[in-house]
Amino acid sequence: MQLVFVTALGIGGATIAGAIMGFLLPNGSRKLNDILMGFAAGVMMAAAVVGLILPAMEGTGKEGIWIVGVGILCGALLLNMLDKLMPHLHHLSGVDSEAHHNGNIDKILLFVFAIALHNLPEGLAAGVSFGGENIGNAISVAVGIALQNIPEGMIIISPMLLAGMSKRRTFAIASVTGLIEVVGTFLGYAATSIAASVLPFALSLAGGTMLYVVSDEMIPETHSHGNELAATYALLGGFFLMLVMNAWIG
């Protein structure tokens, strides 16, 4: 349980640490933002496939492969449903959505909310990983999630600042996205402590949410400002880094 507690603080704190680093980046550097987001997308793809979906397949075997497929689909549908049900959020920014001139505040907060949404199942993934017997794999998943949380925390800062949000409110929103992951970790660990049989489905669901965010939010965002080549190579770099980490830690 102590290791789970440290893991929860680590993956949640990684987002907050990234947010602090985000304040140090030059505001308005769209190319840097796209590169960081591309890198995070690559890390998330590898973490979803290598750290979540493949272990779920090992847990179900050939006969239960349908559980993995259903879990991935449910994860994507869950995030899609939450995206559609999300209300306008500009009042959270403290900025008049009609007055600012730096982009659509609702769109910016939608992206931030999408990050927060997938942080919950990411936390669940870290928690349920510790419900299995392979602690090495659980640590690999947790480290991978923490690693991609740092650039995520960095990339959500600049857009909010450019939209006119105060530094205090920007940091508070970024911190909440990290705290959601802490809650998810404890929930995931508690769930698998009660019923370890849900582990393959939970891992698949978390993997599905991560793949959905990469495809629906992150890649389109990084390819919409003329920086798609740099973002693509950053994605490949993030993906390869996770493969190296999995080889050494897993």
Side-chain angles (χ1 to χ4, degrees):
M1 182 64 184
Q2 183 177 2
L3 184 57
V4 177
F5 181 77
V6 173
T7 297
L9 294 182
I11 62 178
T15 299
I16 298 175
I20 294 174
M21 295 170 64
F23 284 104
L24 303 178
L25 295 176
N27 292 332
S29 178
R30 173 62 67 183
K31 184 173 184 178
L32 179 58
N33 286 345
D34 288 342
I35 290 174
L36 290 173
M37 190 179 296
F39 179 83
V43 171
M44 288 176 65
M45 287 177 63
V49 176
V50 179
L52 299 174
I53 295 174
L54 290 182
M57 292 175 63
E58 293 175 1
T60 61
K62 294 180 180 179
E63 296 77 11
I65 190 65
W66 63 271
I67 296 175
V68 177
V70 171
I72 293 172
L73 180 61
C74 286
L77 290 174
L78 173 64
L79 216 54
N80 180 242
M81 180 183 67
L82 291 176
D83 279 348
K84 291 183 179 298
L85 293 177
M86 190 184 71
H88 292 291
L89 294 176
H90 65 263
H91 62 281
L92 293 177
S93 68
V95 178
D96 185 351
S97 63
E98 300 298 328
H100 66 81
H101 304 285
N102 294 312
N104 188 321
I105 191 66
D106 286 330
K107 181 178 180 181
I108 292 170
L109 289 178
L110 175 62
F111 167 70
V112 175
F113 188 68
I115 295 293
L117 280 180
H118 91 275
N119 277 353
L120 179 60
E122 273 189 3
L124 288 173
V128 299
S129 295
F130 284 96
E133 298 179 356
N134 191 338
I135 298 300
N137 178 71
I139 293 175
S140 177
V141 171
V143 171
I145 292 174
L147 180 64
Q148 60 92 10
N149 279 350
I150 294 176
E152 276 186 8
M154 295 172 66
I155 62 176
I156 63 177
I157 295 299
S158 182
M160 288 191 285
L161 292 178
L162 288 173
M165 291 176 59
S166 67
K167 291 184 178 180
R168 179 178 297 181
R169 191 180 295 264
T170 296
F171 181 72
I173 293 176
S175 298
V176 168
T177 66
L179 293 177
I180 289 174
E181 211 149 19
V182 175
V183 174
T185 302
F186 286 117
L187 289 176
Y189 180 73
T192 53
S193 297
I194 297 172
S197 61
V198 306
L199 181 60
F201 178 80
L203 289 173
S204 301
L205 185 142
T209 60
M210 294 173 73
L211 291 176
Y212 178 91
V213 169
V214 170
S215 177
D216 189 64
E217 298 286 344
M218 303 182 78
I219 291 179
E221 177 67 17
T222 60
H223 285 223
S224 60
H225 312 110
N227 301 315
E228 56 271 14
L229 184 61
T232 296
Y233 279 105
L235 183 150
L236 294 175
F239 192 92
F240 179 70
L241 177 61
M242 280 302 298
L243 294 182
V244 172
M245 288 182 56
N246 184 75
W248 283 91
I249 300 177

